[in-house]
Amino acid sequence: MLQTSTARRDLALGIIVILLLGSVAAGFPQFATPGNLAEVLDDSAILIMLALGQMLVILTRGIDLSIAANVALSGMVVALFNRNYPDAGVVPVLLIAMVSGTLLGAVNGLLVWRLKLPPIVVTLGTMSVYRGLIYLMSGGTWVNDNQMSPAFLGFVRYELLGLTVLSWLAIVATAGAAVLMRYTVLGRDLYAAGGNPAAAAYTGIDPGRMQCISYTICGAIAGLCGYLWVARFAVAYTDIALGFELQVIAACLIGGVAIAGGIGTVTGVVLGSLFIGIIRNALPLIGVSPFWQMGINGLVIVVAAVLSARRREDKRAILETQPA
């Protein structure tokens, strides 16, 4: 019954995204051209990947406010590496980005798991620490496109079947997350750890360990996105992705991920990310200031949190009506 409710919500969100796209296209027909839609997907790709990572954390009753700072720090690490070793190629850059992000995510996970610290406090602290480390590493200077190798910049822009590598990475990440959550023991354990930690512990699942794993995976994705962000925008500096964690959280909440854990789907998160991506690309067309976009994101988070609370009450009511 709960799965049916989740499927219906995903379907409703999908219809809303289509209607939103249709309404924008009605006023600006060029918005719905294949080329522009490919650009919207390209623009939403990093958000999709980060939201999938954040989903894992929220499912286990955590939150990662440091995800954008992880993106920025990992991006600066690979930018400095490429500046000093421009002939190293893309593969070492990808590996360094993912290792950097994984370590930063693991720090969050271990602090939450081993020291039993509140996730919001831990990640709020590491967010500031990671931003500070960027300044120490770079000395406050920028790494610009003229200091980056053509291979470093060109990888994300390479096109295959009409889509960039950046878009394909988002598609692969979506498929991988769907397989992980639907067909693996780890996926089921993550749901169980967030849905009912006491019952999960009784069956041998350590909720704290699941939180640590989710933070680590989220960190690895953020590390990869750090390189993708720097390569796409061709610049690395201290304030990269500043405030982007709000859009990531909003995408999860719009997609139906319950802030109390245990509920959420890959489909919903992707649709939530596309919803934000369409709005973000449509607002400039109708002359809305970028400053209003921040306010809209905040409003979306509040509304989605209220709906998430209602879903939690619905879930509780469903469980109470089921026979023991």
Side-chain angles (χ1 to χ4, degrees):
M1 189 172 181
L2 186 59
Q3 291 180 346
T4 302
S5 175
T6 301
R8 287 176 178 172
R9 191 188 189 286
D10 288 347
L11 178 60
L13 180 57
I15 294 173
I16 291 173
V17 170
I18 293 173
L19 291 176
L20 175 63
L21 179 60
S23 62
V24 176
F28 303 91
Q30 69 276 16
F31 190 84
T33 61
N36 190 73
L37 291 178
E39 290 183 10
V40 171
L41 176 59
D42 191 66
D43 186 60
S44 305
I46 292 177
L47 176 59
I48 290 172
M49 287 185 277
L50 292 176
L52 290 172
Q54 186 76 258
M55 178 191 74
L56 302 182
V57 175
I58 297 177
L59 280 177
T60 58
R61 301 195 175 192
I63 193 75
D64 190 355
L65 298 179
S66 69
I67 189 169
N70 188 331
V71 169
L73 179 53
S74 298
M76 179 59 76
V77 168
V78 294
L80 293 174
F81 174 81
N82 180 252
R83 187 183 68 180
N84 294 326
Y85 305 98
D87 298 325
V90 175
V91 173
V93 169
L94 292 171
L95 292 175
I96 291 172
M98 293 192 69
V99 169
S100 171
T102 300
L103 292 175
L104 297 177
V107 168
N108 288 333
L110 289 172
L111 289 174
V112 171
W113 178 26
R114 291 303 188 183
L115 299 184
K116 310 297 183 184
L117 299 176
I120 191 171
V121 174
V122 169
T123 57
L124 186 62
T126 54
M127 175 178 68
S128 299
V129 171
Y130 297 164
R131 291 285 179 186
L133 288 175
I134 301 171
Y135 185 84
L136 291 177
M137 290 178 57
S138 64
T141 60
W142 292 29
V143 180
N144 297 306
D145 58 342
N146 60 354
Q147 300 171 291
M148 301 175 185
S149 69
F152 182 92
L153 294 172
F155 176 73
V156 297
R157 295 173 174 81
Y158 180 79
E159 290 193 5
L160 180 64
L161 301 177
L163 296 176
T164 64
V165 167
L166 182 57
S167 295
W168 281 112
L169 286 173
I171 293 171
V172 170
T174 300
V179 171
L180 171 67
M181 303 310 296
R182 190 175 183 86
Y183 299 108
T184 69
V185 174
L186 176 59
R188 292 190 291 270
D189 288 352
L190 289 171
Y191 276 116
N196 193 327
Y202 184 77
T203 60
I205 300 172
D206 185 344
R209 181 172 175 270
M210 289 299 104
Q211 277 191 323
C212 185
I213 291 174
S214 66
Y215 274 109
T216 303
I217 296 175
C218 182
I221 295 173
L224 173 61
C225 288
Y227 160 62
L228 299 177
W229 187 295
V230 169
R232 184 172 190 270
F233 296 104
V235 65
Y237 58 101
T238 306
D239 291 336
I240 278 181
L242 186 65
F244 198 69
E245 62 276 355
L246 294 181
Q247 292 193 35
V248 174
I249 295 171
C252 290
L253 296 182
I254 292 171
V257 181
I259 199 68
I263 300 176
T265 65
V266 172
T267 300
V269 169
V270 172
L271 289 173
S273 300
L274 291 176
F275 180 86
I276 291 178
I278 293 172
I279 290 180
R280 189 169 57 193
N281 282 270
L283 288 181
L285 294 177
I286 58 179
V288 176
S289 167
F291 296 103
W292 279 102
Q293 296 183 39
M294 295 180 64
I296 291 172
N297 286 335
L299 179 62
V300 165
I301 289 176
V302 173
V303 172
V306 172
L307 295 177
S308 176
R310 292 186 62 182
R311 292 189 74 211
R312 184 169 67 251
E313 293 300 322
D314 292 343
K315 176 187 175 184
R316 183 179 303 170
I318 291 172
L319 293 176
E320 288 176 351
T321 59
Q322 292 179 344

